[in-house]
Amino acid sequence: MTSAITLAAQARGYSKAAKELEESGQHERARQLYLKAAKLYNDAYASAGDEMDRNTQRDLAEHLFAKAQSLKSSSAKYSSGGLESSNGSDNRDESSLSKDDLILKEIPNIGFPDIGGLEDVKEEIRKAIIYPFTHKELYRMYGQKAGEGILLYGPPGCGKTMMAKAAAKECGAEFISVKTSSIVSKWVGASEKNIKQIFDTARQSERAIIFFDEIDSVAVRRSESEDYAKRVVNEMLAQMDGVDTAGDDLLVLAATNEPWSIDPALRRPGRFSKLVFIPEPDLEARAAIFDIQLKDRPIDDEVDVMALAGMTDSYSGADIASICREAADIPLGEALRGGEIRKIGMQDFATVIEKRKPSITSWYIGARKAIQKTGEEEVFGEIFSG
Ligand SMILES: Nc1ncnc2c1ncn2[C@@H]1O[C@H](COP(=O)(O)OP(=O)(O)O)[C@@H](O)[C@H]1O
Ligand SMILES: [Mg+2]
């Protein structure tokens, strides 16, 4: 029987050849070789013992299979000479970033007024992100080093991504948002190259914010992570150590729902040393989010956002956005079925809220448990207070 190591080596050969064929435009032949490579990796996965990491083999098999699929679905587009990747199909070179992964040269259209509540957080963000850009001289005069990286953390769906975008808009910075999972390429060296590319791009802008969203997908504790993730984190650390906001007009933000799983080295001075907690919305904030979500929908006079806010304790902003969509769906559905056209009423909201559990409670339980394990209760104090 062929050993797993030999199978993997053969698979590598096929996949390399496939890639060359793909690059030279021979997509059907490339697709066949990708499939062969995927099959060999799968065999390696199936027969592997302790001599190699089985999960990597399986991931590679899946990855190459997906690549073969995408070549099939896009062969028409390829033959017409276009290289644009369409929604869902992923036919680009995995080893470098495409514009789908990076949103470049874009100033977001979400500002602080679009974010309900979180007034304290907004002020904190102003101090940590906006003023260092807009009042650079003052910071320099008082010898304050501005522009440490900032890690936004907190329960899911409560506005971390929104807050990062809004911060960029408020200070007129270009927003370079990186889907962190997309920089993780298992092809040797590619991940580091991707990180470097991101920082290089940012340095070319006049003023930029780099945002690593869901950073836990790569920057896990290096003791627990795989090789590629270690390399990504090392490169990230190296690049961040080289950032001087005053000189570069560059700020690095990251967000995570799982701050405890992030490599502590990333939190050292000069890196993501500032932690900003984005909590679930309180009563006022929930009312504000309802206002924002309902401002362009027809609602009955009896609908009282304060009452709605009272009914949604422990619900996230994202929960509230869904509640509003689902509530609107009720009269919409009726109208589509030929019913009378009517406004969204209090009863519609009640129906939807009753069916839906708040998403925050379970996050806190899991978060506290995980943090107690790492012994970092002090670092993430906000998760324990209240
Ligand atoms: N404070 C808020 N104000 C208005 N909308 C909110 C707020 N928090 C969450 N939302 C809604 O929830 C969605 C998800 O928020 P997001 O910023 O992606 O959360 P996170 O990044 O923390 O998971 C947003 O697109 C928005 O519709
Ligand atoms: Mg998010």
Side-chain angles (χ1 to χ4, degrees), residues 70-216:
S70 74
L71 281 178
K72 191 176 177 185
S73 62
S74 63
S75 54
K77 219 175 334 143
Y78 267 113
S79 56
S80 69
L83 268 170
E84 291 287 322
S85 76
S86 61
N87 282 344
S89 84
D90 193 1
N91 55 25
R92 69 203 146 79
D93 175 1
E94 277 294 316
S95 67
S96 64
L97 292 162
S98 79
K99 65 179 189 314
D100 292 341
D101 301 316
L102 284 178
I103 306 167
L104 292 179
K105 310 273 169 199
E106 191 190 68
I107 296 179
N109 55 5
I110 288 180
F112 279 168
D114 303 303
I115 301 181
L118 296 176
E119 297 307 329
D120 297 348
V121 178
K122 286 176 193 169
E123 187 52 28
E124 203 173 350
I125 297 277
R126 277 190 201 102
K127 281 198 206 117
I129 302 180
I130 298 170
Y131 299 151
F133 272 137
T134 55
H135 297 71
K136 213 193 255 181
E137 280 67 35
L138 278 179
Y139 276 76
R140 209 175 289 151
M141 191 172 112
Y142 289 102
Q144 297 295 50
K145 186 178 179 316
E148 303 273 276
I150 295 164
L151 178 66
L152 308 175
Y153 74 100
C158 292
K160 295 183 294 299
T161 303
M162 279 186 105
M163 194 59 88
K165 283 188 188 160
K169 177 172 175 178
E170 298 289 328
C171 61
E174 279 167 10
F175 188 62
I176 301 180
S177 168
V178 186
K179 239 194 294 162
T180 310
S181 54
S182 70
I183 55 180
V184 179
S185 168
K186 287 180 183 170
W187 305 102
V188 180
S191 310
E192 300 97 291
K193 201 177 78 190
N194 289 341
I195 299 271
K196 186 171 178 306
Q197 192 190 330
I198 292 159
F199 279 86
D200 287 348
T201 308
R203 288 199 175 90
Q204 284 159 18
S205 311
E206 209 158 284
R207 178 183 285 183
I209 289 183
I210 301 180
F211 179 47
F212 292 105
D213 206 356
E214 298 175 12
I215 195 172
D216 43 274

Side-chain angles (χ1 to χ4, degrees), residues 24-50:
S24 70
Q26 304 182 57
H27 296 111
E28 180 50 28
R29 287 186 60 203
R31 189 181 71 81
Q32 288 167 5
L33 293 194
Y34 276 130
L35 280 177
K36 267 198 186 140
K39 183 166 181 318
L40 286 163
Y41 274 125
N42 197 51
D43 293 346
Y45 157 69
S47 64
D50 291 339

